[in-house]
Amino acid sequence: MTSIKPIVVITGSSSGFGHLTALKCAEKGFQVIATMRNPEKAAVFKEVSPESRGNIDVWTLDVTNQTSVNEFEEKLKELGRIDILVNNAGFAMGGFVEQLPVSFYQKQMETNFFGAIRVTQAVLPIMRNQGRGKILNVSSISGRIGFPGLSAYVSSKFALEGWSESLRLEMKPFGIDVALLEPGSFQTNIWTSGMELPEGFDDPDSPYASYSQGIWKALNQETHGNPSHMVTQMVKLMNKQELYKLRYPVGKSVRSTLFMKTILPWKVLENIILKTILPKSFSHQPKKGTVRAQRRRNNHES
Ligand SMILES: NC(=O)c1ccc[n+]([C@@H]2O[C@H](COP(=O)([O-])OP(=O)(O)OC[C@H]3O[C@@H](n4cnc5c(N)ncnc54)[C@H](OP(=O)(O)O)[C@@H]3O)[C@@H](O)[C@H]2O)c1
């Protein structure tokens, strides 16, 4: 396939930001390599106009599977050129630290962090030979600030942030630009079908029961933004001629939260967070549920 259109590769194109960005890019005349781990989900593109459909190629890519990434790399070599990579594939693992076996953290890192590394490593030789390219890593507000009950997700995004800073410094001399997008909360599948929780997360006998209810309440009270804002920001960056800034926060209240983190002592900020989440009736009196046993069961089942 030869094309003078900018070629953009997007991971996790079967839903949410990835899917919507692929559609928008195709509409704007990019050649889109829309990758997804389950090719049966390519049906998400079936309603697309014939002109846009001609701009979309669906490739199978599971970012956690090195064989899948190797096959992707071979296809990329045939393509010979890539202008933009969007490391978007991800999911959210919920659960309190005491409940989560290490294997759950590993699973989270495999997709959200190691996945981005694998795909980037496949793309870099081509971009480096071209002497140009853009890499957009989809991080999160959770890559800048911790949140209880989401430590695995937060860790994966903090890791992505640090890695992206290093990658950006490494790639600048080769003409490759790297940026982080940091969305707040948006209405995609990530907080529903895309979310994984350990067994026992909602156990009413758990000492964490009212705490986790408070978190869910806070998450559900928040109005999730329209993902089209994120898509607009992503496409704007793809078209940008000037060099990128390192970070692009996206969404309602993200900038103000990050600003508060820079000016307020952490102790003050954490009190604000906990006041929003912890029910007034919260008591840390021991409960009969044993979290360790649950964690062991989760470990066995994973
Ligand atoms: N929505 C938000 O509020 C929000 C906020 C901050 C950051 N983000 C980030 O935005 C990115 C996209 O999430 P989203 O909100 O659009 O959620 P989403 O609708 O659940 O989409 C996630 C996408 O990632 C794919 N994926 C998951 N594991 C994968 C794997 N191993 N290999 C390849 N693809 C995989 C999913 O594929 P399947 O369809 O096969 O599951 C899906 O296409 C994620 O990195 C997420 O952390 C989202």
Side-chain angles (χ1 to χ4, degrees):
M1 181 171 61
T2 50
S3 168
I4 49 158
K5 299 167 186 169
I7 299 176
V8 53
V9 172
I10 305 173
T11 65
S13 294
S14 58
S15 74
F17 295 150
H19 172 231
L20 295 171
T21 305
L23 288 177
K24 183 55 82 183
C25 288
E27 197 186 299
K28 297 270 177 200
F30 288 77
Q31 190 63 43
V32 184
I33 313 291
T35 74
M36 57 187 74
R37 61 179 162 176
N38 180 357
E40 281 170 21
K41 291 194 177 175
V44 293
F45 293 115
K46 78 170 189 289
E47 305 292 327
V48 178
S49 72
E51 306 83 70
S52 290
R53 190 65 191 87
N55 288 337
I56 301 175
D57 290 300
V58 175
W59 290 9
T60 305
L61 174 60
D62 180 342
V63 302
T64 63
N65 181 326
Q66 191 59 53
T67 308
S68 173
V69 177
N70 292 346
E71 285 164 11
F72 162 76
E73 189 170 1
E74 287 311 309
K75 286 178 88 172
L76 272 185
K77 281 184 198 155
E78 281 170 35
L79 195 65
R81 175 165 69 84
I82 164 170
D83 299 287
I84 303 152
L85 166 66
V86 182
N87 279 313
N88 164 76
F91 75 99
M93 175 79 72
F96 291 89
V97 173
E98 196 181 344
Q99 297 172 323
L100 286 175
V102 168
S103 58
F104 278 48
Y105 283 90
Q106 286 165 334
K107 186 174 181 197
Q108 179 75 96
M109 296 300 269
E110 277 299 335
T111 303
N112 293 14
F113 180 50
F114 299 129
I117 298 177
R118 286 189 195 94
V119 177
T120 304
Q121 284 175 340
V123 159
L124 282 183
I126 298 181
M127 285 191 173
R128 194 172 34 71
N129 283 331
Q130 291 170 177
R132 63 184 174 77
K134 295 169 194 256
I135 300 177
L136 297 173
N137 291 332
V138 179
S139 175
S140 167
I141 176 84
S142 301
R144 302 288 296 284
I145 186 162
F147 200 77
L150 275 179
S151 66
Y153 183 66
V154 165
S155 307
S156 71
K157 295 298 187 183
F158 265 67
L160 186 70
E161 295 258 337
W163 175 76
S164 300
E165 283 189 15
S166 298
L167 178 70
R168 184 174 154 109
L169 287 165
E170 288 184 14
M171 288 303 123
K172 199 135 244 190
F174 296 101
I176 301 166
D177 210 358
V178 178
L180 285 154
L181 286 113
E182 300 172 330
S185 175
F186 286 89
Q187 196 67 55
T188 65
N189 291 340
I190 198 160
W191 306 118
T192 51
S193 56
M195 181 112 195
E196 294 195 21
L197 292 166
E199 192 209 297
F201 185 74
D202 52 1
D203 177 351
D205 285 333
S206 164
Y208 291 98
S210 62
Y211 202 162
S212 62
Q213 280 158 16
I215 291 173
W216 280 123
K217 216 168 134 199
L219 273 175
N220 290 328
Q221 264 169 3
E222 202 178 324
T223 10
H224 299 297
N226 186 328
S228 64
H229 295 303
M230 176 68 174
V231 175
T232 305
Q233 177 64 31
M234 203 111 82
V235 176
K236 204 168 138 191
L237 288 176
M238 289 178 190
N239 284 318
K240 197 172 162 67
Q241 300 300 318
E242 306 83 51
L243 288 175
Y244 289 154
K245 292 190 291 183
L246 171 61
R247 295 188 163 90
Y248 294 90
V250 189
K252 211 176 78 180
S253 76
V254 175
R255 278 175 193 281
S256 53
T257 307
L258 292 175
F259 181 65
M260 285 213 293
K261 189 177 176 183
T262 58
I263 57 163
L264 293 179
W266 179 253
K267 268 189 183 175
V268 176
L269 193 57
E270 72 187 1
N271 279 339
I272 297 173
I273 296 172
L274 290 175
K275 255 201 184 134
T276 325
I277 293 168
L278 269 185
K280 285 198 178 67
S281 59
F282 180 80
S283 147
H284 63 269
Q285 293 308 309
K287 287 215 169 190
K288 65 178 175 177
T290 84
V291 185
R292 188 161 181 250
Q294 272 170 352
R295 187 176 70 236
R296 284 186 163 167
R297 276 203 298 280
N298 278 312
N299 199 23
H300 185 66
E301 284 158 15
S302 71

